Amino acid sequence: MDQETLTSKFTGRVVLPEDSDYDQVRQVFYGGIDKKPAVIVRVADSEDVRQAILLAKEQKLELAVRSGGHSVAGYSTTDGGLVIDLRDMKKIDIDDANKTVWAETGLVAKELTDELDKQNFVLGFGDTGSVGIGGITLGGGVGFLVRKFGLAIDNLLAAEIVTADGEVLHADKDNHADLFWALRGGGGNFGVVTKFKYQLHDLGDCYGGMLMLPATPEVVAGCMKIAHEAPDELSMIINVMPAFPMPFIAKEHHGKMAVMVLAVYAGEPKAGEEILAPLKALATPFADMTKPMRYKDIFFPEDASYHPTAVSKNMHINSFDIENAKTAIEWLNKSDSPMRALQLRVLGGAMAKVSEDATAYANRKQPIMVNIAAFYVTEQEKQERQAWIDDFSDVLNRGDGSAYVGFLGPHEQDRLLDAYPQATLDKLRAVKKTYDPDNLFRLNFNITP
Ligand SMILES: Cc1cc2nc3c(=O)[nH]c(=O)nc-3n(C[C@H](O)[C@H](O)[C@H](O)COP(=O)(O)OP(=O)(O)OC[C@H]3O[C@@H](n4cnc5c(N)ncnc54)[C@H](O)[C@@H]3O)c2cc1C
C-alpha cells in the first residue's frame, strides 16, 4: 500500500520507519526492547482503531496495542507489525454530580490523577505515574488506594472497546456482561479499549509520602505488622533495597540496606499522622517525607528518558515475620546489583471484599504481594540476576504460587494458571472465543480461544 493511501485512512498520524521521530515513537518504557514496527498508528478515535485493526488483518501484520508502554513483558511493540498507539487519546469527561469519569486510554495514571485532584476526586491505579491507564486497568490495578477503594477495576463501570471484527462495543454490567467481566483482569486479550468509565471517590487532603528507615529485621517485620493491623485507609508499599544516592538522604546512608515505605492514608491528615507514628518510631529514619498531602503527590517525579533494564518476579506469600525479614536482608546483601529490591504490598481491605468470581482478577484473598527485582546491564548479569531472584523467591514463605498478571515478565507465559485459577481461565477462554476467535490480540498473556 502506498504511503498516501495508508495515511488517508486515519485521522491520527501514521508513523513509518522513514520518519525522523520513528525511533522516539517506537521506544517503550523498558530498555533492551528494540523492536521495529512496520507501521505505528497514533490513533485519534475509535474509528481510527477500527481502521487499524482491519488493516492489520488485511495485511496480515502482527498487532500490538500500546497505551502507556510499560508492559513488563514488552508486549506493546512488534517487529515488522502494526502498533495501535493510543497516546494521543487523552480526553477526560468528569460527571461531577454522579462522581464518575470517562477517560480515554492514552492517558497515564498521573495525568488523570492530576485532573481529578482539581475536583477533590481520587482513583487508584499503581505506584508509578507514567503507567498507562489502559494496561493497568485491564490487568487489575494494585496501588495506594487498594485497601480503601479496591483495585482500579473495582471502580470500573464501563468500557468502550473495538473488537477483532472492528465492532465498537459498550461493555458494562448489563451490556456484554461476559466481556465486561473479562476486561477486569483479563488484560488486552479481547480488543482495544478506547475509554473507561470509573466511579470516583471524594478525597481532599490526606496523609502519607515516603519514609526511609534502616533495614534491620525488626524494622522490616515491624513495618509489615503495622501494615497488616492498620485500618483500610492505609495502603503501603514496602521496599527493602539499598538507599539510593538522592539529595534528601544523607551521604553516609547511601548504599546502605534500607526500607523505603511509600504510604497513603486516605482519610483525615491528623488521623493519618497518628497511624503512621509507630512506623516512624521503629528507628531513626534516613529520610522522612511523610506529611499532609494531596493524593496525586504520592507519585515520584519521573525522567521520560529513563529506560531501565531489569528482571523481576511476582508472587503472593501468606506471611512475613522476623525470620523472613532476616532471610530477605541476607539475600539482598548477596547480590551486587546496584539496584535490587524486595517489594512487599500488604493487601486485604476493599479488594478482598469483592468475591473471587466477580471479575477476571481472582487472586483477591492473598494477604501479601511480593515483587523481587534487580537491574542489569550485560546479558551475563541478566542471567545471574534472574537466578538470584528465582532462588530468593524460593526461600520466602511461598503462598499458593499465584501471581499478578500485570507484573509477569517475558519468559512467564507458562504462569497463566498462576494468574488465573482454572475456573477463571476456562471462563476467559470462552469469552475469548466469542470476541476474538482467531486470536488477533495475542501480544499479551495470551488466553487462547
Ligand atoms: C515501573 C512500573 C511500575 C508498575 N507499578 C504497578 C503498580 O503499582 N500496580 C499495578 O497494578 N501494576 C503496576 N505495573 C504493571 C502495569 O500495570 C502493567 O505493566 C501494565 O500493563 C502497563 O500498562 P501500560 O498501558 O503502561 O502498558 P502498555 O505496554 O501500553 O500495555 C501493556 C499491555 O496491555 C494491553 N493494553 C494496554 N492498553 C490497552 C488498551 N487500551 N486496549 C487493549 N489492550 C491494552 C496490551 O496487551 C499491552 O501489550 C507497573 C509497571 C511498571 C513498568
Side-chain angles (χ1 to χ4, degrees), residues 9-10 75 192 227 380 383 400:
K9 280 178 178 287
F10 300 99
Y75 284 140
V192 182
Q380 191 190 335
Q383 312 289 338
D400 52 7

Side-chain angles (χ1 to χ4, degrees), residues 65 67-71 76 126-128 132 135-136 138 142 191 193 345 404 406:
V65 181
S67 285
H70 278 56
S71 167
S76 41
D127 62 5
T128 302
I136 196 168
L138 293 168
V142 187
V193 176
R345 300 177 187 221
Y404 170 40

Side-chain angles (χ1 to χ4, degrees), residues 123-245:
L123 188 57
F125 291 103
D127 62 5
T128 302
S130 59
V131 168
I133 69 163
I136 196 168
T137 304
L138 293 168
V142 187
F144 292 114
L145 297 173
V146 66
R147 285 161 55 90
K148 177 67 177 163
F149 300 126
L151 300 164
I153 49 166
D154 296 335
N155 304 292
L156 190 67
L157 299 172
E160 181 183 270
I161 177 168
V162 190
T163 57
D165 56 9
E167 248 194 296
V168 183
L169 300 181
H170 174 97
D172 61 19
K173 67 179 177 36
D174 301 316
N175 302 281
H176 304 286
D178 55 345
L179 179 60
F180 186 54
W181 172 87
L183 291 178
R184 287 173 291 163
N189 273 283
F190 308 97
V192 182
V193 176
T194 45
K195 54 183 176 176
F196 288 121
K197 182 182 184 184
Y198 302 94
Q199 184 68 58
L200 302 173
H201 300 278
D202 296 304
L203 187 66
D205 292 343
C206 59
Y207 193 88
M210 193 272 274
L211 175 71
M212 191 178 276
L213 299 162
T216 63
E218 291 73 19
V219 169
V220 182
C223 290
M224 289 298 282
K225 186 165 185 291
I226 290 167
H228 276 294
E229 291 171 357
D232 291 352
E233 278 73 16
L234 183 68
S235 295
M236 301 206 287
I237 300 183
I238 297 164
N239 299 284
V240 191
M241 59 196 280
F244 37 79

Side-chain angles (χ1 to χ4, degrees), residues 64-336:
V65 181
R66 177 202 172 114
S67 285
H70 278 56
S71 167
V72 176
Y75 284 140
S76 41
T77 183
T78 151
D79 256 332
L82 185 151
V83 178
I84 294 182
D85 181 337
L86 291 136
R87 274 177 291 176
D88 293 332
M89 291 183 62
K90 291 189 191 283
K91 281 197 204 93
I92 298 174
D93 186 5
I94 299 174
D95 177 345
D96 255 356
N98 292 306
K99 299 183 183 177
T100 62
V101 64
W102 272 107
E104 286 188 339
T105 50
L107 290 155
V108 298
K110 182 164 172 47
E111 291 166 337
L112 182 53
T113 305
D114 283 353
E115 204 52 39
L116 297 177
D117 175 74
K118 293 179 187 161
Q119 303 190 39
N120 290 326
F121 288 135
V122 293
L123 188 57
F125 291 103
D127 62 5
T128 302
S130 59
V131 168
I133 69 163
I136 196 168
T137 304
L138 293 168
V142 187
F144 292 114
L145 297 173
V146 66
R147 285 161 55 90
K148 177 67 177 163
F149 300 126
L151 300 164
I153 49 166
D154 296 335
N155 304 292
L156 190 67
L157 299 172
E160 181 183 270
I161 177 168
V162 190
T163 57
D165 56 9
E167 248 194 296
V168 183
L169 300 181
H170 174 97
D172 61 19
K173 67 179 177 36
D174 301 316
N175 302 281
H176 304 286
D178 55 345
L179 179 60
F180 186 54
W181 172 87
L183 291 178
R184 287 173 291 163
N189 273 283
F190 308 97
V192 182
V193 176
T194 45
K195 54 183 176 176
F196 288 121
K197 182 182 184 184
Y198 302 94
Q199 184 68 58
L200 302 173
H201 300 278
D202 296 304
L203 187 66
D205 292 343
C206 59
Y207 193 88
M210 193 272 274
L211 175 71
M212 191 178 276
L213 299 162
T216 63
E218 291 73 19
V219 169
V220 182
C223 290
M224 289 298 282
K225 186 165 185 291
I226 290 167
H228 276 294
E229 291 171 357
D232 291 352
E233 278 73 16
L234 183 68
S235 295
M236 301 206 287
I237 300 183
I238 297 164
N239 299 284
V240 191
M241 59 196 280
F244 37 79
M246 298 294 270
F248 50 84
I249 301 166
K251 266 212 177 91
E252 74 235 45
H253 302 314
H254 292 179
K256 281 191 190 153
M257 203 49 73
V259 189
M260 183 181 73
V261 180
L262 295 162
V264 171
Y265 179 85
E268 279 300 315
K270 192 89 201 99
E273 191 174 1
E274 281 165 23
I275 297 278
L276 283 181
L279 196 72
K280 300 183 194 188
L282 287 171
T284 306
F286 288 173
D288 179 3
M289 298 169 81
T290 56
K291 56 178 196 261
M293 62 169 212
R294 305 293 292 185
Y295 171 68
K296 71 178 173 64
D297 295 327
I298 194 64
F299 294 132
F300 276 138
E302 289 181 67
D303 170 2
S305 65
Y306 176 61
H307 299 290
T309 43
V311 282
S312 63
K313 183 156 192 165
N314 174 268
M315 62 189 181
H316 295 110
I317 57 173
N318 292 329
S319 59
F320 191 93
D321 59 15
I322 193 151
E323 287 307 315
N324 299 122
K326 269 186 206 153
T327 310
I329 294 167
E330 272 166 32
W331 272 88
L332 285 159
N333 281 325
K334 275 189 203 175
S335 167
D336 62 355

Side-chain angles (χ1 to χ4, degrees), residues 21-22 40 73 79 158 342 366 381 390 392 429 443:
D21 59 350
Y22 171 77
I40 301 170
D79 256 332
L342 168 73
Q366 285 77 351
E381 278 178 3
D390 292 343
F392 184 2
R429 285 199 205 290
L443 277 182

